[in-house]
Amino acid sequence: MPTETDTMRDRFLDVTSRLLDEDPRLALVLADISAAGFARAAERHPDRVINVGIREQLLIGATGGLALTGLRPIAHTFASFLVERPFEQVKLDLVHQGVGAVLVSAAGSYDWPAGGRTHMSPGDVALLDTLPDWTVHVPGHPDEAETLLRHAVNDGDRNVYLRLSAHRNALARPVVPGRFLTVREGRRGVVLAVGPMLDGVLQATEGMDVTVLYAAGVRPFDAAALRAATGAGAADVVIVEPYLAGTSDREAHEALAAVPHRVLGLGVPRAEHRHYGSIDEHLAAYGLDARSLWERITLFLR
């Protein structure tokens, strides 16, 4: 049962285990990560819960093979091992083969600093942007993660990436896949907060005359919502994402191509930070804590 202290990953373990009981078309492929959390599910469904060991290329290859048989597979490990390491298999065994799967990651950009650079993946969404027709969900709360996971499992045979993080907002929002949510309205600009960045954005923009949009999903990009939030005239837009800065800038530019506009993309910088600390320390180092966001957004809108 959900609790106030469960994480997105905890919720993923619980909900996926129950979905495996309910849906005989669902399969789960692991590469050791979270295998202990799925031990009981593996006992109940040994033919549909498969642990390939620390072989991430095989993780995606097996996932593609299961999809070719008509199953709806979920593949899970840390983001750096799910998207970056086996990217060729993602490109060929899923996209090129014309089959779909649900990739569910953990650890994100800065979740496990003790793991070092090997366990950080700020470029995962940007990398998937080089491939066609991916749905990308970035929940900011365990309740949202459950909503988006259930939607992904039942989203036909589409390729879906669900990016889970230990970084979270205090409250869940009524997210709808593919839609941005208006959290606050203003007239001087629009700030789009992605996933777990919402709380920091709300704190940073308190008292500012800006509209705050919330995205728990960034692909497809809700261009209509962004255009509606900016109005008919010139537009200033700030996008705050928990991964590589500028990842969604192109989407915003395309959405606003018919009007004069400026876009500021804030996120994890390309430069490596080699001193590992807590999530909060990483956010401060990247200029993504509330104080830094206030300074950067204020300067841009000025």
PDB file of all heavy atoms in Angstrom, residues 8-22:
ATOM      1  N   MET A   8       9.282   6.977  -5.795  1.00  0.00           N
ATOM      2  CA  MET A   8       8.778   6.583  -7.107  1.00  0.00           C
ATOM      3  C   MET A   8       9.197   5.143  -7.419  1.00  0.00           C
ATOM      4  O   MET A   8       8.419   4.369  -7.982  1.00  0.00           O
ATOM      5  CB  MET A   8       9.309   7.518  -8.189  1.00  0.00           C
ATOM      6  CG  MET A   8       8.848   8.955  -8.066  1.00  0.00           C
ATOM      7  SD  MET A   8       9.399   9.910  -9.503  1.00  0.00           S
ATOM      8  CE  MET A   8       9.488  11.554  -8.763  1.00  0.00           C
ATOM      9  N   ARG A   9      10.408   4.797  -7.060  1.00  0.00           N
ATOM     10  CA  ARG A   9      10.889   3.440  -7.327  1.00  0.00           C
ATOM     11  C   ARG A   9      10.138   2.412  -6.493  1.00  0.00           C
ATOM     12  O   ARG A   9       9.790   1.329  -6.984  1.00  0.00           O
ATOM     13  CB  ARG A   9      12.391   3.374  -7.036  1.00  0.00           C
ATOM     14  CG  ARG A   9      13.069   2.119  -7.552  1.00  0.00           C
ATOM     15  CD  ARG A   9      14.555   2.295  -7.391  1.00  0.00           C
ATOM     16  NE  ARG A   9      15.289   1.067  -7.628  1.00  0.00           N
ATOM     17  CZ  ARG A   9      16.554   0.893  -7.265  1.00  0.00           C
ATOM     18  NH1 ARG A   9      17.202   1.866  -6.654  1.00  0.00           N
ATOM     19  NH2 ARG A   9      17.178  -0.239  -7.504  1.00  0.00           N
ATOM     20  N   ASP A  10       9.858   2.729  -5.217  1.00  0.00           N
ATOM     21  CA  ASP A  10       9.035   1.842  -4.393  1.00  0.00           C
ATOM     22  C   ASP A  10       7.684   1.605  -5.053  1.00  0.00           C
ATOM     23  O   ASP A  10       7.195   0.465  -5.111  1.00  0.00           O
ATOM     24  CB  ASP A  10       8.800   2.444  -3.005  1.00  0.00           C
ATOM     25  CG  ASP A  10      10.051   2.511  -2.159  1.00  0.00           C
ATOM     26  OD1 ASP A  10      10.965   1.703  -2.385  1.00  0.00           O
ATOM     27  OD2 ASP A  10      10.108   3.378  -1.261  1.00  0.00           O
ATOM     28  N   ARG A  11       7.080   2.676  -5.533  1.00  0.00           N
ATOM     29  CA  ARG A  11       5.762   2.555  -6.151  1.00  0.00           C
ATOM     30  C   ARG A  11       5.831   1.716  -7.426  1.00  0.00           C
ATOM     31  O   ARG A  11       4.935   0.925  -7.720  1.00  0.00           O
ATOM     32  CB  ARG A  11       5.202   3.940  -6.456  1.00  0.00           C
ATOM     33  CG  ARG A  11       3.741   3.940  -6.875  1.00  0.00           C
ATOM     34  CD  ARG A  11       2.808   3.586  -5.713  1.00  0.00           C
ATOM     35  NE  ARG A  11       2.909   4.566  -4.668  1.00  0.00           N
ATOM     36  CZ  ARG A  11       2.179   5.692  -4.631  1.00  0.00           C
ATOM     37  NH1 ARG A  11       1.295   5.936  -5.592  1.00  0.00           N
ATOM     38  NH2 ARG A  11       2.314   6.550  -3.633  1.00  0.00           N
ATOM     39  N   PHE A  12       6.898   1.897  -8.184  1.00  0.00           N
ATOM     40  CA  PHE A  12       7.093   1.093  -9.393  1.00  0.00           C
ATOM     41  C   PHE A  12       7.163  -0.394  -9.059  1.00  0.00           C
ATOM     42  O   PHE A  12       6.534  -1.229  -9.724  1.00  0.00           O
ATOM     43  CB  PHE A  12       8.369   1.542 -10.112  1.00  0.00           C
ATOM     44  CG  PHE A  12       8.861   0.580 -11.151  1.00  0.00           C
ATOM     45  CD1 PHE A  12       8.129   0.337 -12.303  1.00  0.00           C
ATOM     46  CD2 PHE A  12      10.072  -0.087 -10.972  1.00  0.00           C
ATOM     47  CE1 PHE A  12       8.585  -0.561 -13.262  1.00  0.00           C
ATOM     48  CE2 PHE A  12      10.536  -0.982 -11.918  1.00  0.00           C
ATOM     49  CZ  PHE A  12       9.793  -1.223 -13.068  1.00  0.00           C
ATOM     50  N   LEU A  13       7.917  -0.746  -8.026  1.00  0.00           N
ATOM     51  CA  LEU A  13       8.022  -2.152  -7.627  1.00  0.00           C
ATOM     52  C   LEU A  13       6.660  -2.721  -7.258  1.00  0.00           C
ATOM     53  O   LEU A  13       6.281  -3.817  -7.699  1.00  0.00           O
ATOM     54  CB  LEU A  13       8.981  -2.291  -6.443  1.00  0.00           C
ATOM     55  CG  LEU A  13      10.441  -1.906  -6.654  1.00  0.00           C
ATOM     56  CD1 LEU A  13      11.202  -1.982  -5.332  1.00  0.00           C
ATOM     57  CD2 LEU A  13      11.095  -2.784  -7.682  1.00  0.00           C
ATOM     58  N   ASP A  14       5.908  -1.983  -6.461  1.00  0.00           N
ATOM     59  CA  ASP A  14       4.612  -2.462  -5.983  1.00  0.00           C
ATOM     60  C   ASP A  14       3.596  -2.575  -7.116  1.00  0.00           C
ATOM     61  O   ASP A  14       2.948  -3.614  -7.291  1.00  0.00           O
ATOM     62  CB  ASP A  14       4.096  -1.520  -4.897  1.00  0.00           C
ATOM     63  CG  ASP A  14       2.730  -1.915  -4.392  1.00  0.00           C
ATOM     64  OD1 ASP A  14       2.578  -3.029  -3.866  1.00  0.00           O
ATOM     65  OD2 ASP A  14       1.791  -1.107  -4.540  1.00  0.00           O
ATOM     66  N   VAL A  15       3.479  -1.522  -7.902  1.00  0.00           N
ATOM     67  CA  VAL A  15       2.450  -1.502  -8.945  1.00  0.00           C
ATOM     68  C   VAL A  15       2.774  -2.507 -10.043  1.00  0.00           C
ATOM     69  O   VAL A  15       1.883  -3.224 -10.520  1.00  0.00           O
ATOM     70  CB  VAL A  15       2.302  -0.077  -9.522  1.00  0.00           C
ATOM     71  CG1 VAL A  15       1.369  -0.082 -10.740  1.00  0.00           C
ATOM     72  CG2 VAL A  15       1.768   0.861  -8.457  1.00  0.00           C
ATOM     73  N   THR A  16       4.037  -2.598 -10.443  1.00  0.00           N
ATOM     74  CA  THR A  16       4.393  -3.552 -11.496  1.00  0.00           C
ATOM     75  C   THR A  16       4.160  -4.981 -11.047  1.00  0.00           C
ATOM     76  O   THR A  16       3.692  -5.821 -11.835  1.00  0.00           O
ATOM     77  CB  THR A  16       5.858  -3.341 -11.911  1.00  0.00           C
ATOM     78  OG1 THR A  16       6.034  -2.005 -12.376  1.00  0.00           O
ATOM     79  CG2 THR A  16       6.246  -4.300 -13.025  1.00  0.00           C
ATOM     80  N   SER A  17       4.461  -5.281  -9.790  1.00  0.00           N
ATOM     81  CA  SER A  17       4.206  -6.632  -9.279  1.00  0.00           C
ATOM     82  C   SER A  17       2.728  -6.980  -9.374  1.00  0.00           C
ATOM     83  O   SER A  17       2.354  -8.104  -9.748  1.00  0.00           O
ATOM     84  CB  SER A  17       4.692  -6.754  -7.833  1.00  0.00           C
ATOM     85  OG  SER A  17       6.096  -6.602  -7.750  1.00  0.00           O
ATOM     86  N   ARG A  18       1.871  -6.016  -9.047  1.00  0.00           N
ATOM     87  CA  ARG A  18       0.424  -6.263  -9.136  1.00  0.00           C
ATOM     88  C   ARG A  18      -0.044  -6.351 -10.586  1.00  0.00           C
ATOM     89  O   ARG A  18      -0.902  -7.165 -10.922  1.00  0.00           O
ATOM     90  CB  ARG A  18      -0.332  -5.183  -8.376  1.00  0.00           C
ATOM     91  CG  ARG A  18      -0.204  -5.331  -6.862  1.00  0.00           C
ATOM     92  CD  ARG A  18      -1.085  -4.360  -6.096  1.00  0.00           C
ATOM     93  NE  ARG A  18      -0.464  -3.059  -5.952  1.00  0.00           N
ATOM     94  CZ  ARG A  18      -0.992  -1.926  -6.361  1.00  0.00           C
ATOM     95  NH1 ARG A  18      -2.150  -1.925  -6.990  1.00  0.00           N
ATOM     96  NH2 ARG A  18      -0.374  -0.786  -6.165  1.00  0.00           N
ATOM     97  N   LEU A  19       0.537  -5.522 -11.451  1.00  0.00           N
ATOM     98  CA  LEU A  19       0.150  -5.565 -12.858  1.00  0.00           C
ATOM     99  C   LEU A  19       0.536  -6.895 -13.509  1.00  0.00           C
ATOM    100  O   LEU A  19      -0.181  -7.403 -14.385  1.00  0.00           O
ATOM    101  CB  LEU A  19       0.806  -4.406 -13.615  1.00  0.00           C
ATOM    102  CG  LEU A  19       0.247  -3.016 -13.327  1.00  0.00           C
ATOM    103  CD1 LEU A  19       1.106  -1.947 -14.012  1.00  0.00           C
ATOM    104  CD2 LEU A  19      -1.204  -2.901 -13.792  1.00  0.00           C
ATOM    105  N   LEU A  20       1.652  -7.468 -13.087  1.00  0.00           N
ATOM    106  CA  LEU A  20       2.048  -8.776 -13.609  1.00  0.00           C
ATOM    107  C   LEU A  20       1.031  -9.847 -13.245  1.00  0.00           C
ATOM    108  O   LEU A  20       0.791 -10.788 -14.013  1.00  0.00           O
ATOM    109  CB  LEU A  20       3.431  -9.158 -13.079  1.00  0.00           C
ATOM    110  CG  LEU A  20       4.609  -8.433 -13.722  1.00  0.00           C
ATOM    111  CD1 LEU A  20       5.857  -8.528 -12.836  1.00  0.00           C
ATOM    112  CD2 LEU A  20       4.905  -9.017 -15.105  1.00  0.00           C
ATOM    113  N   ASP A  21       0.412  -9.715 -12.065  1.00  0.00           N
ATOM    114  CA  ASP A  21      -0.641 -10.655 -11.665  1.00  0.00           C
ATOM    115  C   ASP A  21      -1.906 -10.476 -12.497  1.00  0.00           C
ATOM    116  O   ASP A  21      -2.622 -11.442 -12.769  1.00  0.00           O
ATOM    117  CB  ASP A  21      -0.996 -10.466 -10.188  1.00  0.00           C
ATOM    118  CG  ASP A  21       0.139 -10.826  -9.257  1.00  0.00           C
ATOM    119  OD1 ASP A  21       1.017 -11.615  -9.664  1.00  0.00           O
ATOM    120  OD2 ASP A  21       0.146 -10.322  -8.111  1.00  0.00           O
ATOM    121  N   GLU A  22      -2.169  -9.231 -12.905  1.00  0.00           N
ATOM    122  CA  GLU A  22      -3.428  -8.913 -13.564  1.00  0.00           C
ATOM    123  C   GLU A  22      -3.388  -9.067 -15.079  1.00  0.00           C
ATOM    124  O   GLU A  22      -4.424  -9.339 -15.695  1.00  0.00           O
ATOM    125  CB  GLU A  22      -3.816  -7.457 -13.234  1.00  0.00           C
ATOM    126  CG  GLU A  22      -4.013  -7.197 -11.744  1.00  0.00           C
ATOM    127  CD  GLU A  22      -4.048  -5.712 -11.419  1.00  0.00           C
ATOM    128  OE1 GLU A  22      -4.018  -4.888 -12.382  1.00  0.00           O
ATOM    129  OE2 GLU A  22      -4.096  -5.353 -10.226  1.00  0.00           O
TER     130      GLU A  22
END
